[in-house]
Amino acid sequence: MAIESDSAGVRFPPPFVYLGTLLLGLAAERFLTLRSFGIDWRLLAATGALLSVAGMAMMLAAAGLFRLLGTSIPPSRSTTFIATTGPYRWTRNPMYLGMALIYAGLAIGFDGPIAFALLPLVLIVIQTQVIAREERYLEAKFGDDYRRYKAGVRRWL
């Protein structure tokens, strides 16, 4: 992944962190004792589908807004505009929140308690290695405009 000099400097695609950890957790289910939530599969499937659809809707809305504003989505590329409308009115990170909802939905839907238990680790990595870099970059680039936005909108929810 090529990293532009005017960017947050994130060196890996964040979706790979979510996907890689999810797959690792689901694979671990085959080798460890705790292999089920112990809940009816229909409830797991419905809950998983609901979370996944909500996550996809949030991600698509955020990505669509970025495209409409003419700014780039990957954190390895330059940002030209601060999005403050749409899902960005409620969370500064709707794409990462959407990915977390999809992750949780898939872990629950596939009856993967180990994968689900790894989600906090994923969120810590995203928070420290991606969001923190993005926030430093946006604050340096947009100054008080970003600081005002940051003061009024929560990082996650």
Side-chain angles (χ1 to χ4, degrees), residues 111-134:
D111 199 11
I114 295 170
F116 188 78
L118 292 174
L119 181 56
L121 176 65
V122 172
L123 297 178
I124 290 168
V125 169
I126 293 297
Q127 174 63 43
T128 61
Q129 302 303 310
V130 179
I131 293 173
R133 289 174 190 243
E134 288 180 347

Side-chain angles (χ1 to χ4, degrees), residues 29-53:
E29 305 287 339
R30 298 186 149 275
F31 303 106
L32 299 173
T33 309
L34 180 63
R35 298 173 65 168
S36 175
F37 285 110
I39 300 171
D40 183 68
W41 69 270
R42 290 175 290 253
L43 180 58
L44 291 173
T47 303
L50 181 67
L51 288 170
S52 295
V53 167

Side-chain angles (χ1 to χ4, degrees), residues 5 11 13 26 85 91 97 102 107 113 118 138 151:
S5 59
R11 302 193 182 285
L26 292 173
T85 60
T91 174
L97 180 58
I102 293 167
L118 292 174
L138 293 171

